[in-house]
């Protein structure tokens, strides 16, 4: 079992920045992928960014150059630095951890970008 605790969401004006954090605890495997997904009202959940345990990253096209995903050396915490935020980035952001042993999601944190 893996537990994910997210933090860092909030309200920010367009052009501003936020940093999301997600700490994983429990049965963490050495080989895993962590990432951030988001879901806006009336829309499907979409991948924002992922990072593997060997630091391979993947980004949604619309956030490339604005968002940066990273993880700590212990590989149990993942961060999402979000710069130049736009109103269309408004959504609930979910942390995800997956490995060969399971797939886990956080509770979500609200990010609201005002115009």
């Amino acid at each position: 079992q893996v537990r994910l605790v997210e933090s860092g969401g909030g309200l920010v004006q367009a052009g501003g920045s936020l940093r999301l954090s997600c700490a994983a605890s429990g049965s963490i495997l050495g080989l895993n992928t962590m990432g951030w997904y988001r879901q806006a009202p009336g829309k499907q959940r979409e991948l924002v960014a992922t990072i593997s345990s060997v630091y391979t990253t993947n980004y949604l096209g619309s956030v490339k150059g604005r968002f940066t995903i990273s993880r700590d050396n212990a590989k149990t915490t993942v961060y999402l630095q979000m710069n130049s935020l736009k109103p269309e980035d408004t959504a609930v952001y979910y942390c995800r951890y997956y490995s060969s042993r399971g797939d886990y999601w956080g509770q979500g944190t609200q990010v609201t970008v005002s115009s």
Side-chain angles (χ1 to χ4, degrees), residues 28-33 52-54 75 97-101:
I28 306 296
L29 284 188
L31 293 177
N32 63 72
T33 297
S52 72
S53 50
V54 293
K75 302 178 183 179
Y97 164 99
Y98 59 93
S99 70
S100 61
R101 289 189 184 171

Side-chain angles (χ1 to χ4, degrees), residues 41-95:
K43 295 187 177 182
Q44 289 189 331
R45 190 173 297 188
E46 62 180 357
L47 180 152
V48 176
T50 61
I51 184 166
S52 72
S53 50
V54 293
Y55 301 100
T56 300
T57 58
N58 184 36
Y59 291 93
L60 176 69
S62 62
V63 307
K64 284 182 179 178
R66 300 189 297 122
F67 292 10
T68 302
I69 191 168
S70 61
R71 62 193 303 172
D72 67 344
N73 289 336
K75 302 178 183 179
T76 59
T77 301
V78 64
Y79 306 95
L80 185 68
Q81 178 66 43
M82 304 185 293
N83 298 328
S84 302
L85 282 160
K86 304 176 180 180
E88 51 263 44
D89 294 318
T90 295
V92 177
Y93 283 69
Y94 297 90
C95 179

Side-chain angles (χ1 to χ4, degrees), residues 1-4 24-29 97 101-105:
Q1 193 77 5
V2 173
R3 181 173 181 239
L4 301 174
S25 61
S27 302
I28 306 296
L29 284 188
Y97 164 99
R101 289 189 184 171
D103 191 345
Y104 302 89
W105 292 85

